[in-house]
Amino acid sequence: MDKNEHNDQMPAYSEAVTSGLYAKKSGLIGKYDNVRRLWEDEVTRQFLRSHLHKLVDKCKANMRRVRIMDLGCGSADGHELLLGVRDRDADLEQTEVDLLSPDIMGLYTGVDLNKDLLNQAGSIYNSNPKMAFRQADFTKGLPLLDGEDPYDLYFSSFGSFSHHNDDETAIQILTQIAKTTKDSCLVHCDWLGRYSYEWQSLWTHDHQENRNMDYVVSYIYDKEDREERIDDLQHLNLRLMSRKEAERIITEASKRSGVHIKPLTFYDRSVFTGRHMDTGDYNPQAQPIRDAVNSLHEVNVRTDLTSLMVDYVPRQGFEFLNRYYEHIQVSWNYLVQYVSELLKLYDEDKRVFTGTLPEPPAAAPSPLVDMVIRMTKIVEGTGWYGLGLPRENIIEPQLGYALRHIVTNLQDGQGCGHGLVCILQIDRADD
Ligand SMILES: C[S@@+](CC[C@H](N)C(=O)[O-])C[C@H]1O[C@@H](n2cnc3c(N)ncnc32)[C@H](O)[C@@H]1O
């Protein structure tokens, strides 16, 4: 091969580089880090699953397909999130596991105020004829067109409802949803939690104070970049929401519409793993726990488990919140230490634990006890395996899921996570 022949092949590599497909993908940073995909998206799916299941069954019984409106859709990540909700009854050998299968999925309409995001969504999904996008401001009312049928699911995700800075606009949109619903629907409201540990400095007893926060989108850069770009960072004005305040909004919308709007569940998403844990922008005591969890789930990366240990610093005068966080912290740290102990005691050659395993205290909550049992089985069942880096690629990700299970089952939906989510049901048959 002469020199020119080699040069002739170079445009193929250059093209690959400009396409972005040659960039190294990592779950350790960025919008779609491991916590976003494996915790936040999945936890949202877990809480929606049973309600969505009923909705799908109802649509099937009425010989209809499901219509979804995504309020604040951005580049339509909500579509992937919702279509990834699994049918939990699926057996191990099944490959068709999606709840919203193509035959039941009717229409997804994404609504956003930002034209650039809508263009991006359009360019990603333009080949899907069951998706439509619309530019509208949801603080001006429900963006239904004249004569348009109502939707079965009004979905908002990742803090979109916090763009209702004034509760009046949130009440209005819920009132309109209730009034226009003919039969029944679900509403997924997603706010920033008022009492996230990430912004402990903003906690207040008086709900008239610190209603909106100056939210800096600093976390998309790593530490050095953040400091360099401090003046160019984007700032958003976002409503911080507690359960009590959300309940007042819902009650008022019920009253105005004359339709019962029933909260099915409230949950705190990302209690110790919100994005601002890593930046410490609003709480100097915040530890980079999201970084550590991202590492647990990263392929071929070995995590220092001590980086997962949470040291919650209480804030005086907020005893209810201090108890809430300490309760979760104690179980979280117990499991991290327990797994460290398992790794120490396991003898890979003999394939046994060479010592007595610690027993959880009698007062340990059942989600912790369950995870202790499972992690013991995981280490015992795979520690000897040798192939494919069992610690990095099996044990650590499973520890990630076990920690996720603990937080998901001990949280109480009070506004103590990065996100406070409420799933609402409107059912005309109840009225
Ligand atoms: C936190 S992002 C969430 C985006 C998307 N749902 C996701 O999961 O990535 C909030 C979205 O709400 C949109 N938004 C903000 N205010 C809005 C308004 N008044 N009306 C419609 N969309 C709005 C923003 O443009 C942005 O896309």
Side-chain angles (χ1 to χ4, degrees):
M1 207 183 261
D2 71 19
K3 202 170 142 226
N4 274 345
E5 274 181 76
H6 283 298
N7 276 339
D8 286 350
Q9 296 184 53
M10 290 306 107
Y13 286 113
S14 303
E15 207 179 302
V17 171
T18 41
S19 74
L21 298 174
Y22 241 42
K24 201 183 251 179
K25 290 269 187 295
S26 160
L28 296 174
I29 49 163
K31 185 178 179 195
Y32 304 109
D33 63 1
N34 291 327
V35 170
R36 164 71 189 252
R37 288 180 306 107
L38 303 173
W39 285 46
E40 295 170 342
D41 285 353
E42 279 299 313
V43 168
T44 308
R45 289 179 181 127
Q46 273 177 30
F47 280 98
L48 255 175
R49 179 174 295 120
S50 64
H51 308 300
L52 207 52
H53 220 296
K54 285 188 195 130
L55 186 145
V56 166
D57 289 346
K58 215 179 255 181
C59 285
K60 281 181 180 164
N62 290 329
M63 303 294 286
R64 289 200 306 101
R65 305 208 294 179
V66 176
R67 292 162 55 81
I68 297 171
M69 178 176 272
D70 189 347
L71 294 159
C73 64
S75 47
D77 290 344
H79 183 263
E80 189 185 316
L81 189 154
L82 293 168
L83 267 78
V85 176
R86 295 200 172 75
D87 184 345
R88 249 311 179 210
D89 302 334
D91 293 333
L92 274 183
E93 83 278 7
Q94 271 177 265
T95 48
E96 301 292 329
V97 296
D98 297 335
L99 183 56
L100 290 170
S101 52
D103 62 316
I104 190 69
M105 186 63 204
L107 176 69
Y108 167 98
T109 299
V111 176
D112 206 282
L113 191 53
N114 186 299
K115 196 92 196 108
D116 295 327
L117 286 168
L118 287 172
N119 286 340
Q120 193 183 15
S123 64
I124 300 170
Y125 292 106
N126 64 3
S127 61
N128 187 333
K130 290 198 281 183
M131 293 178 76
F133 295 99
R134 178 174 308 169
Q135 188 178 21
D137 181 346
F138 56 53
T139 64
K140 302 252 158 62
L142 181 64
L144 275 186
L145 305 177
D146 273 352
E148 186 177 15
D149 278 339
Y151 286 77
D152 302 294
L153 170 62
Y154 294 91
F155 184 69
S156 80
S157 54
F158 297 107
S160 295
F161 246 66
S162 280
H163 283 286
H164 288 283
N165 299 108
D166 179 350
D167 292 354
E168 185 54 32
T169 68
I171 295 168
Q172 272 169 21
I173 198 167
L174 291 178
T175 305
Q176 283 176 311
I177 290 175
K179 278 187 172 169
T180 49
T181 295
K182 288 185 190 144
D183 171 14
S184 69
C185 73
L186 292 177
V187 191
H188 188 271
C189 307
D190 196 321
W191 284 281
L192 287 190
R194 191 183 253 281
Y195 295 116
S196 179
Y197 183 46
E198 295 157 277
W199 35 82
Q200 194 187 43
S201 58
L202 302 179
W203 292 0
T204 164
H205 290 295
D206 181 352
H207 286 165
Q208 292 312 314
E209 289 173 7
N210 295 349
R211 291 165 65 82
N212 291 286
M213 78 179 278
D214 173 22
Y215 185 92
V216 190
V217 189
S218 48
Y219 46 77
I220 47 175
Y221 303 108
D222 60 27
K223 201 168 183 312
E224 288 89 62
D225 265 7
R226 264 200 306 270
E227 276 153 21
E228 252 173 50
R229 292 167 187 255
I230 194 117
D231 296 327
D232 324 324
L233 297 173
Q234 273 183 58
H235 290 245
L236 298 168
N237 187 36
L238 294 174
R239 174 77 162 100
L240 292 175
M241 190 59 70
S242 65
R243 169 129 157 209
K244 284 208 172 89
E245 291 166 285
E247 281 169 344
R248 273 201 293 274
I249 290 172
I250 296 158
T251 308
E252 183 58 27
S254 270
K255 207 162 87 191
R256 287 194 202 173
S257 61
V259 178
H260 181 43
I261 305 177
K262 181 178 170 192
L264 296 174
T265 186
F266 281 91
Y267 66 91
D268 292 325
R269 191 187 49 226
S270 298
V271 173
F272 282 130
T273 48
R275 295 192 185 265
H276 278 297
M277 286 297 284
D278 293 356
T279 67
D281 282 350
Y282 306 89
N283 178 2
Q285 323 286 351
Q287 303 162 260
I289 299 295
R290 189 179 181 111
D291 261 357
V293 174
N294 275 331
S295 171
L296 279 184
H297 287 286
E298 190 70 0
V299 171
N300 293 350
V301 170
R302 185 170 284 220
T303 309
D304 170 5
L305 298 191
T306 59
S307 65
L308 286 158
M309 294 294 287
V310 176
D311 182 11
Y312 170 78
V313 177
R315 181 162 167 200
Q316 286 202 358
F318 291 86
E319 293 321 318
F320 159 71
L321 296 169
N322 294 335
R323 276 196 299 274
Y324 183 98
Y325 281 107
E326 278 169 11
H327 178 56
I328 297 178
Q329 181 212 281
V330 170
S331 289
W332 172 293
N333 285 354
Y334 185 93
L335 189 69
V336 173
Q337 281 172 320
Y338 181 80
V339 171
S340 306
E341 198 58 22
L342 290 179
L343 296 175
K344 233 183 273 163
L345 292 178
Y346 191 73
D347 183 319
E348 282 123 280
D349 297 326
K350 296 195 184 112
R351 301 185 181 190
V352 288
F353 291 109
T354 54
T356 314
L357 299 178
E359 281 283 326
S366 63
L368 171 61
V369 176
D370 286 351
M371 292 306 106
V372 160
I373 295 168
R374 283 178 200 215
M375 286 312 302
T376 309
K377 292 197 169 169
I378 294 283
V379 175
E380 205 171 24
T382 64
W384 55 271
Y385 187 60
L387 304 175
L389 304 181
R391 168 161 172 173
E392 291 83 340
N393 296 333
I394 305 175
I395 298 169
E396 289 196 12
Q398 291 308 318
L399 172 58
Y401 296 126
L403 290 171
R404 187 186 77 182
H405 180 85
I406 286 176
V407 181
T408 309
N409 286 280
L410 296 185
Q411 62 71 36
D412 194 24
Q414 296 293 338
C416 297
H418 185 96
L420 171 67
V421 179
C422 174
I423 303 177
L424 302 170
Q425 184 183 51
I426 295 163
D427 193 338
R428 290 289 192 156
D430 286 351
D431 290 331

